[in-house]
Amino acid sequence: GHVVRNWKVRWFVLLQDKLLYYKIEGGKKEPSPKGRILLDGCTITCPCLEYENRPLLIKLKTKTNTDYFLECCSREERDSWALDITGAIHAGHPVQVQELHRMKNSFKLLENISLHHIVERMYDSSTGIKLTRNLEQGNRYKETFTGSALVDWLISNSFAVSRFEAVTLASMLMEENFIRPVGTRSTEATRYSDLSEQFLDDSTALYMFAESSNKNISSKEELQFNISELSGTIVKQGFLVKQGHKRKNWKVRKFVLRADPAFLHYYDPTKEENRPVGGFSLRGCLVSALEDNGVPAGVKGNVQGNLFKIITKNDIHYYIQASSKAERAQWIEAIKPLT
């Protein structure tokens, strides 16, 4: 937001010369746009690392120097939006668009690249990579960064053009013992013989500087959330609309589906902290699509369609709307094997 610096869920539509955004009320997009971003003269920054706890940002600066920060629900979606927006910005310059695609799909590391220089930049207190505490399988590690965070940082600092380049560069840093894997997820990847497969562009793979060998395991009493249920592998994530249990209103939530153990958590995307506002175990659950031509008795308010229902083993009913039948089918298909 421009006046109140909070985060709001909006539905975006990209046109040839502008980006429109709409409010969503009761799970339904309003007919008139809430605002628009004119793309003529815009500059785009992706990945944008200005918000430490929001790694999936795109930054747009208009020719009147107005900044817009847009958050996506996955790196693939973010990069896809960024490429399409860049194409719209340079629509009148097809040669630039062609060059952009060539750069994104080519592989060419910087000549005479200095790994020592990269590591020095990574250590910089103001512009270097952000070191955080991370959890994995009940362990808390100090001063770590994720594989995808390092890939974002390398691209943002112009050490690589594409994610493929950045992964190869990060693999070189690991091969030369500047960084090392921490935890099961990243350590297991080093068993592969191919250098390009040893480093993971993944938000669950942890790494640290090789000289920082302090690994601290915190007690479970310090954690506000159950470690085990948040330690599973992320299978699917994205924005869905969920009906509340008490007020029966509809709210946009970011859902994260995890396996081993199987849990479905949901987050409030308007909040700064990356903490789930709810979630439940999928063991013993029933999940099914609801027909669009009939609204069940437990569903209230404005229903746009594409409904599905999850019933937990404790007989708690969750009503959820997807944006399309295809998306609903994808979520049901991902959830069913975990029940």
Side-chain angles (χ1 to χ4, degrees):
H2 288 293
V3 181
V4 180
R5 295 291 182 176
N6 54 357
W7 296 86
K8 296 288 187 183
V9 176
R10 296 289 183 254
W11 181 269
F12 280 82
V13 177
L14 176 62
L15 303 180
Q16 186 174 358
D17 60 344
K18 64 178 73 73
L19 192 59
L20 305 179
Y21 52 94
Y22 298 78
K23 288 182 68 175
I24 299 176
E25 290 293 341
K28 187 175 181 180
K29 183 190 73 169
E30 292 193 342
S32 299
K34 174 73 173 176
R36 66 193 67 213
I37 304 172
L38 299 179
L39 297 178
D40 180 40
C42 261
T43 58
I44 183 170
T45 303
C46 179
C48 171
L49 307 181
E50 294 189 27
Y51 287 83
E52 183 178 338
N53 62 339
R54 291 181 180 266
L56 304 179
L57 288 184
I58 297 171
K59 178 182 178 181
L60 289 175
K61 181 183 283 291
T62 68
K63 64 180 180 182
T64 58
N65 289 323
T66 302
D67 291 338
Y68 291 88
F69 294 92
L70 316 178
E71 183 178 33
C72 301
C73 66
S74 70
R75 282 174 169 78
E76 293 77 14
E77 186 179 74
R78 179 198 64 186
D79 294 344
S80 176
W81 269 99
L83 192 62
D84 290 339
I85 292 172
T86 304
I89 292 173
H90 299 302
H93 307 279
V95 175
Q96 292 186 22
V97 178
Q98 198 173 39
E99 177 67 12
L100 174 73
H101 282 274
R102 187 195 67 77
M103 291 174 63
K104 288 289 182 183
N105 297 314
S106 66
F107 174 65
K108 183 182 178 183
L109 288 173
L110 296 174
E111 295 182 5
N112 302 320
I113 194 163
S114 168
L115 297 181
H116 289 277
H117 174 63
I118 294 176
V119 174
E120 285 179 5
R121 289 279 301 276
M122 288 175 66
Y123 270 111
D124 189 282
S125 58
S126 58
T127 61
I129 192 164
K130 303 300 181 185
L131 302 178
T132 60
R133 292 187 177 188
N134 283 287
L135 294 174
E136 189 189 79
Q137 296 185 350
N139 295 336
R140 172 171 283 185
Y141 299 98
K142 281 186 176 181
E143 298 184 331
T144 60
F145 46 86
T146 66
S148 51
L150 178 53
V151 170
D152 283 348
W153 185 88
L154 290 169
I155 296 174
S156 178
N157 285 272
S158 303
F159 289 115
V161 172
S162 66
R163 302 194 78 79
F164 182 60
E165 280 187 30
V167 166
T168 304
L169 191 53
S171 299
M172 294 168 61
L173 291 171
M174 191 166 62
E175 183 76 7
E176 296 298 322
N177 202 34
F178 288 107
I179 63 174
R180 67 178 182 87
V182 178
T184 306
R185 182 83 173 89
S186 55
T187 302
E188 285 185 348
T190 61
R191 297 175 183 174
Y192 294 106
S193 58
D194 186 354
L195 174 64
S196 64
E197 295 179 334
Q198 290 185 359
F199 181 87
L200 298 177
D201 179 7
D202 192 291
S203 60
T204 63
L206 303 181
Y207 298 89
M208 69 188 328
F209 290 114
E211 65 181 43
S212 303
S213 58
N214 297 326
K215 182 183 79 172
N216 289 349
I217 303 175
S218 69
S219 64
K220 293 186 178 180
E221 288 74 23
E222 294 179 13
L223 306 179
Q224 296 183 358
F225 296 98
N226 186 300
I227 294 174
S228 62
E229 69 180 68
L230 292 172
S231 65
T233 302
I234 295 178
V235 176
K236 185 175 177 61
Q237 58 183 323
F239 292 104
L240 298 167
V241 183
K242 173 188 166 294
Q243 180 178 259
H245 289 292
K246 294 181 180 179
R247 298 180 59 189
K248 303 298 182 183
N249 55 349
W250 293 90
K251 295 287 188 181
V252 176
R253 294 290 181 254
K254 180 179 177 180
F255 280 78
V256 177
L257 177 63
R258 293 181 172 90
D260 300 322
F263 274 83
L264 184 63
H265 293 96
Y266 47 95
Y267 300 72
D268 185 345
T270 66
K271 303 296 184 185
E272 284 286 350
E273 63 271 14
N274 189 29
R275 296 164 50 195
V277 294
F280 51 91
S281 171
L282 290 173
R283 295 302 179 195
C285 283
L286 297 174
V287 56
S288 60
L290 298 177
E291 296 301 326
D292 294 336
N293 57 3
V295 179
V299 176
K300 308 293 183 183
N302 192 345
V303 179
Q304 190 173 3
N306 306 313
L307 275 170
F308 65 99
K309 177 173 66 174
I310 301 175
I311 305 176
T312 70
K313 64 180 180 181
N314 297 324
D315 200 34
I316 299 175
H317 293 227
Y318 289 86
Y319 294 98
I320 302 168
Q321 295 185 61
S323 62
S324 66
K325 287 186 177 180
E327 185 183 42
R328 176 178 66 180
Q330 290 170 7
W331 273 99
I332 292 174
E333 185 179 346
I335 291 171
K336 273 188 174 179
L338 303 177
T339 61

